[in-house]
Amino acid sequence: MSIIMILAPLALLLALAFMAAFLWATKSGQWDDLDLPPRKMLQEPTIKKDRDEHEDDEY
Amino acid sequence: MENPTLNLCRFCLSAAARPGDTYCCEGCRTLDGVHRDETPAPDISPRDLEMTRHFGESRKGGVSFECHVDALSCEACLQGLSRLEERIPGLRDLRWDRQRSVLSFAFPEGQSRPSMVGQILDHLHMNPRWLRSDQKVPSSERTRLLRLGLTAGLAANIMLFAAPVYTGVTGELRTIFEWIQFVLFLPVFFWSARPIFRTAWVSLKLHQISVDLPLAIAFILGSVFSTLSLMRGGHDIYFDSLAGFLILILWSRSLLDRSLSQALTTPDVSHFFDKPLFEIVRKDETTTVPWDRLEIDDVLILRAGDRVPADGTLLSQAAEIETAWMTGERHPRLRLKGSLLQAGVRLLSPEARIRVTGHPHETEFASLVRTLRHRGDKLGGNLEGHLGAALVILCLAVTAGMFLFASHLGFAEILRRSLALLIIACPCAVSFAAPLARARANRIAHRLGFWVRDPRVWDRLVGVRHIAFDKTGTLTGGLLVPSPRSPMIDDQWKRIILSLENISRHPVAESLRRIWGRLDLYPVSDAREIPGSGVEGRIEGVLYQVRGSKTTAQRASIDLIREGTKILELELQDDVHPQTQELLSSLRSKYKISLISGDREDRVHAFGLTHGFQPEMMRGGLDPQGKVRALAELQPDVYIGDGTNDLPALQKVPVSVAVSAAALEAQAAADLVMFDGDLRKLEDLITLARETRKLNHRNLAFALIYNFMAGTAAVLGLIHPLAAAILMPLSSLALLGSTLWGTVRLRLLERSR
């Protein structure tokens, strides 16, 4: 019984934390664009190397 | 080794390249060019500064921009767009809000290059319309998502604390868990359910039946009863059922709203201008302004291809214009200095100056666009709406009946059964069935080459008996091609004509460039376009002229003249689509067909008689209002057009279709846009509508049988409210399965291309 008294509030706190995170993510526009970010994630970044600095690199 | 019959696009690698090209479309060519371009980005131009001044919004150390764009579905374009931040210096936070069709991005202060982004978007045919800060509308999608997400979180946690109660926990712990459910339920009642209460209240005030009314009643009754029971120490609480039920309702509503809102956007006047800013001279100073900031006495400086944004007086000596928005025809008209130019006409001459004489919002063109916002009474009643209302009334009547005549059961039991009834017999399945079927039809229509703008068109397509066509741009390509009677022309003469016409945007010039393709051009000196006459110039010192001849009902001619001597005469005629004859033969046997056009009456009749139209079913020489009168007289079920002059007509018929080459404004006004270009698919579309109706009826029959059986079980006390909350979405899933299964013909249509 006593363990429930600890776990139940913990569960509620955890739920509240997740809901707060969801609230923050939505208000900051994380879900506004579901098309471009997944595609950006899968693309290899084009890194322009400085020729002098990386001349001796193997690749 | 490449497969000689399948040359893949160099950029997207998924579509076949056009013959003689390495790309499948201009979008891929543009994006490949952008991503391969190693040259440094150009300096910030005066245009960038002007656009920043008008459309940029300072925010967090940068300048943000928003533009409304056409919907983007091509995967290659999305991939290319997602890499723009790497290619354009300073570009960041590029986001595309699919729901609102708005692209937003930002630049650091002093590094804004919105014109570069705009150019790329133009090449991708996204038609950017830039938004000023006073035009930006905040997204409602975030609120909707918040409501869904938080309600789901609360509902899940309520059920977390309800589960032990169902599995047998007793005593003090049970009471604690029930109170926790109550606390978690409070935001669900006062915030999450607000849209349902609001709709139910509005429908009551308007004396209408709404699906939300029984939901609201069930919700309030259940909440009040559960709270009272909790306060009294009882255990008849239904917070878990109500919360679970609410989240399912909100989720299904969200899906429905999303599909409908995407189909029902209305255009703004700014959509019809190809550039966001117009160059003007105001009080002896040259500046640029958006179209709606023009003032009387401003001198507009327009270039070839610009649409005139406001009524004005021509200050230049002469100008050729195209009045397609009024007549549907792209044949040029000559205007001389001092004549009035109406807003909406398009300039063909290289440059013209116009003094603005009227407010841009008060033009006939602007009022024509505003009529698009009132799409007329195309709503009508629908079967599922009436059935839903009938179900609601029945549920409420049975509930009232139980309270009045079954009091021997006890208040708690009656309430439990009523809750179960109102939940399980909620006509959501009935109102869900039809949109589901329409969503599938939209998807199949897309494969057939149609984009459905108004999903309610499926009901109206079922009873089609009479189809009316516009001529130019619909049954013909809107261009002029050499007639069969014209002599074969050597490439040398073609090159000379194209070289001279290179400075012209005249429809004849555009047509010749399109049909003769890419030929090497000769350098031309002293090239000039003579409005109303033609073009001339010197090639290797020899004077050549291209002059237009008088047109007849069916043909136009141009002459090539060298040093005053006519070399050749080229006869041009309307380019009839190759599939027109096949299409009309097929349709004639099953439907009544008519021809309604803004072209000259003799041309329309000559064309119509050649292609099998009955004389009494043809109307020509019509302006936009004339077309409306003709449609009122002939009363077709479907009208297919392309031009801006079709705008009022497209709104007056039960079903309107804009062809792929249609003006942007016609696409915005039509119920269906045909982006594939094959009118022969029209018959498949009508079949699709009829099969969708069959599917719809099947779904409705299932929903009604389910509602009757489940409702009866609830009234007899055989179903607990929690079970009802689970059964109701299961029925929705079953409907979803039925819609996905479809009918035999639907599956065949889906597989065909």
Side-chain angles (χ1 to χ4, degrees):
Chain A
M1 169 79 167
S2 57
I3 194 70
I4 296 286
M5 294 305 182
I6 298 167
L7 287 178
L10 267 179
L12 280 171
L13 270 172
L14 198 63
L16 275 171
F18 274 112
M19 284 194 276
F22 176 73
L23 184 70
W24 168 80
T26 307
K27 283 192 174 285
S28 64
Q30 301 276 340
W31 314 108
D32 288 353
D33 181 3
L34 301 178
D35 292 285
L36 299 184
R39 287 165 178 85
K40 280 186 207 173
M41 216 166 66
L42 294 175
Q43 284 158 5
E44 287 183 17
T46 310
I47 302 167
K48 286 187 178 165
K49 294 183 181 175
D50 181 83
R51 211 178 268 176
D52 295 331
E53 201 179 313
H54 298 281
E55 208 171 59
D56 297 329
D57 282 0
E58 285 184 10
Y59 60 91
Chain B
M1 187 178 159
E2 275 181 3
N3 183 339
T5 60
L6 188 66
N7 190 21
L8 292 177
C9 172
R10 182 178 173 175
F11 180 69
C12 68
L13 301 175
S14 58
R18 292 179 290 202
D21 203 346
T22 45
Y23 301 99
C24 62
C25 64
E26 286 307 312
C28 282
R29 180 194 301 282
T30 299
L31 289 168
D32 199 31
V34 168
H35 294 305
R36 286 173 187 272
D37 188 5
E38 296 290 335
T39 59
D43 291 335
I44 292 167
S45 65
R47 186 174 169 77
D48 286 321
L49 295 172
E50 288 291 338
M51 287 184 72
T52 304
R53 187 162 63 89
H54 286 289
F55 304 112
E57 193 176 337
S58 287
R59 202 181 280 180
K60 283 189 235 170
V63 183
S64 67
F65 297 85
E66 275 189 19
C67 58
H68 213 281
V69 291
D70 289 347
L72 193 60
S73 57
C74 165
E75 179 60 32
C77 291
L78 281 168
Q79 293 279 354
L81 212 61
S82 65
R83 298 188 65 175
L84 278 187
E85 285 182 9
E86 288 178 27
R87 303 306 312 166
I88 299 178
L91 180 67
R92 61 176 202 221
D93 299 335
L94 181 68
R95 288 186 188 173
W96 181 39
D97 185 337
R98 186 186 276 268
Q99 194 64 18
R100 293 187 300 147
S101 268
V102 167
L103 195 74
S104 61
F105 53 91
F107 284 97
E109 285 280 1
Q111 294 181 41
S112 301
R113 290 183 170 82
S115 65
M116 207 171 155
V117 177
Q119 249 181 344
I120 292 170
L121 296 178
D122 278 330
H123 280 116
L124 296 178
H125 297 290
M126 290 180 78
N127 296 310
R129 280 89 64 189
W130 299 89
L131 300 171
R132 294 194 302 268
S133 49
D134 60 321
Q135 293 174 316
K136 292 177 187 173
V137 175
S139 167
S140 61
E141 186 62 15
R142 282 192 196 173
T143 310
R144 182 158 44 197
L145 202 55
L146 263 178
R147 197 183 301 278
L148 263 177
L150 293 179
T151 308
L154 288 165
N157 279 279
I158 290 172
M159 286 185 197
L160 190 66
F161 288 94
V165 173
Y166 287 120
T167 50
V169 75
T170 55
E172 199 180 293
L173 203 55
R174 179 177 184 167
T175 308
I176 291 171
F177 282 178
E178 284 171 351
W179 274 98
I180 290 174
Q181 289 178 59
F182 169 71
V183 169
L184 290 172
F185 186 74
L186 286 173
V188 174
F189 184 87
F190 288 108
W191 181 67
S192 304
R194 227 192 291 170
I196 304 223
F197 296 151
R198 199 182 305 133
T199 316
W201 178 243
V202 167
S203 72
L204 273 178
K205 283 203 314 188
L206 296 174
H207 307 293
Q208 286 172 357
I209 302 289
S210 157
V211 165
D212 283 353
L213 191 56
L215 294 183
I217 293 172
F219 211 76
I220 293 169
L221 267 180
S223 308
V224 169
F225 178 74
S226 303
T227 307
L228 286 173
S229 177
L230 185 69
M231 302 288 179
R232 288 181 197 150
H235 299 293
D236 289 315
I237 65 169
Y238 303 105
F239 298 127
D240 53 334
S241 314
L242 294 169
F245 176 61
L246 182 67
I247 184 60
L248 291 167
I249 294 291
L250 289 178
W251 173 67
S252 59
R253 294 284 171 83
S254 165
L255 286 179
L256 194 61
D257 286 346
R258 191 179 290 214
S259 62
L260 280 179
S261 70
Q262 277 173 356
L264 297 177
T265 51
T266 47
D268 188 63
V269 179
S270 60
H271 291 190
F272 303 123
F273 301 122
D274 300 322
K275 51 194 203 184
L277 299 172
F278 288 91
E279 194 180 350
I280 61 165
V281 177
R282 180 181 286 173
K283 293 181 181 151
D284 298 324
E285 273 186 33
T286 304
T287 184
T288 55
V289 295
W291 75 277
D292 56 343
R293 295 279 162 90
L294 289 167
E295 293 171 1
I296 293 176
D297 288 334
D298 282 345
V299 175
L300 271 165
I301 304 171
L302 299 175
R303 311 265 183 250
D306 288 348
R307 192 189 290 275
V308 176
D311 292 342
T313 310
L314 183 63
L315 297 178
S316 304
Q317 281 302 117
E320 273 194 323
I321 58 170
E322 167 237 275
T323 58
W325 82 269
M326 287 188 290
T327 65
E329 296 308 313
R330 296 190 175 91
H331 297 291
R333 314 222 170 190
L334 183 66
R335 294 287 184 270
L336 301 176
K337 184 175 179 175
S339 56
L340 178 68
L341 296 185
Q342 271 185 296
V345 302
R346 207 180 278 278
L347 183 69
L348 295 177
S349 300
E351 187 179 304
R353 291 191 173 222
I354 298 165
R355 183 181 300 284
V356 175
T357 55
H359 290 290
H361 285 284
E362 291 168 11
T363 63
E364 205 178 311
F365 182 71
S367 77
L368 182 68
V369 172
R370 278 195 291 272
T371 64
L372 295 179
R373 295 186 169 274
H374 306 287
R375 293 175 65 85
D377 183 19
K378 286 200 177 184
L379 285 169
N382 52 53
L383 182 60
E384 67 271 14
H386 295 317
L387 273 174
L391 262 175
V392 166
I393 294 171
L394 188 61
C395 284
L396 292 174
V398 170
T399 303
M402 278 200 291
F403 276 103
L404 287 172
F405 304 113
S407 52
H408 60 278
L409 293 171
F411 183 79
E413 180 59 22
I414 293 174
L415 191 71
R416 193 179 69 84
R417 294 188 189 190
S418 304
L419 264 180
L421 172 67
L422 289 171
I423 289 172
I424 208 166
C426 160
C428 299
V430 170
S431 46
F432 208 21
L436 267 179
R438 282 187 212 122
R440 184 181 182 163
N442 288 354
R443 203 158 49 90
I444 299 174
H446 197 261
R447 281 169 176 256
L448 290 173
F450 292 90
W451 176 35
V452 180
R453 297 201 69 255
D454 183 356
R456 293 166 292 198
V457 79
W458 294 116
D459 297 326
R460 299 192 291 268
L461 267 174
V462 169
V464 168
R465 298 281 177 268
H466 179 180
I467 303 173
F469 294 89
D470 175 39
K471 183 180 81 71
T472 309
T474 304
L475 296 176
T476 69
L479 294 177
L480 297 164
V481 296
S483 84
R485 299 190 320 184
S486 274
M488 293 290 292
I489 300 178
D490 282 345
D491 275 1
Q492 175 200 359
W493 301 122
K494 287 182 187 174
R495 288 173 65 193
I496 289 173
I497 293 173
L498 282 179
S499 304
L500 294 169
E501 295 281 7
N502 199 33
I503 58 167
S504 171
R505 289 184 61 119
H506 194 282
V508 170
E510 300 281 3
S511 300
L512 293 174
R513 276 192 285 272
R514 191 87 65 86
I515 55 175
W516 284 342
R518 297 167 196 246
L519 291 172
D520 291 334
L521 303 181
Y522 292 114
V524 180
S525 57
D526 302 329
R528 64 185 187 121
E529 186 169 10
I530 302 161
S533 186
V535 291
E536 64 181 33
R538 288 187 180 276
I539 297 174
E540 293 173 0
V542 179
L543 177 67
Y544 288 94
Q545 296 164 312
V546 177
R547 294 277 181 264
S549 304
K550 281 192 180 173
T551 58
T552 65
Q554 286 155 305
R555 297 190 169 82
S557 293
I558 58 168
D559 299 332
L560 177 63
I561 301 166
R562 180 174 64 185
E563 298 288 357
T565 305
K566 187 161 106 173
I567 301 293
L568 58 87
E569 181 180 329
L570 181 64
E571 225 177 54
L572 302 168
Q573 64 182 24
D574 278 332
D575 62 332
V576 180
H577 284 309
Q579 66 258 35
T580 294
Q581 199 57 39
E582 184 190 334
L583 163 76
L584 293 174
S585 312
S586 168
L587 289 179
R588 246 198 312 275
S589 57
K590 297 168 204 158
Y591 306 96
K592 211 191 303 186
I593 55 171
S594 50
L595 188 60
I596 298 174
S597 175
D599 198 359
R600 277 167 37 180
E601 202 156 352
D602 54 347
R603 271 204 201 110
V604 172
H605 277 265
F607 177 89
L609 289 172
T610 311
H611 291 90
F613 287 90
Q614 299 298 317
E616 66 275 13
M617 303 302 285
M618 294 188 275
R619 302 283 185 279
L622 302 172
D623 63 6
Q625 292 309 321
K627 284 196 176 186
V628 171
R629 285 191 292 274
L631 288 171
E633 184 199 342
L634 293 169
Q635 296 196 336
D637 302 307
V638 181
Y639 177 67
I640 304 169
D642 79 305
T644 321
N645 70 326
D646 291 314
L647 286 175
L650 288 170
Q651 288 194 295
K652 293 297 179 188
V653 286
V655 179
S656 53
V657 182
V659 295
S660 52
L664 191 66
E665 46 273 32
Q667 293 187 26
D671 297 319
L672 292 152
V673 177
M674 196 185 73
F675 60 83
D676 197 4
D678 191 353
L679 270 175
R680 290 171 297 183
K681 301 282 187 178
L682 196 62
E683 282 193 84
D684 285 342
L685 197 72
I686 296 170
T687 306
L688 176 58
R690 290 174 180 158
E691 289 300 306
T692 301
R693 182 174 66 166
K694 271 191 217 165
L695 174 62
N696 216 8
H697 287 175
R698 188 175 80 198
N699 284 347
L700 278 173
F702 168 78
L704 284 173
I705 292 169
Y706 152 79
N707 272 297
F708 177 74
M709 288 174 59
T712 306
V715 168
L716 294 175
L718 300 172
I719 300 183
H720 186 274
L722 181 62
I726 294 169
L727 270 175
M728 199 277 290
L730 280 181
S731 72
S732 300
L733 279 174
L735 275 175
L736 182 63
S738 164
T739 306
L740 290 174
W741 180 246
T743 64
V744 172
R745 274 205 193 164
L746 274 179
R747 288 195 291 277
L748 281 172
L749 279 172
E750 210 163 16
R751 281 198 282 267
S752 69
R753 283 301 305 243

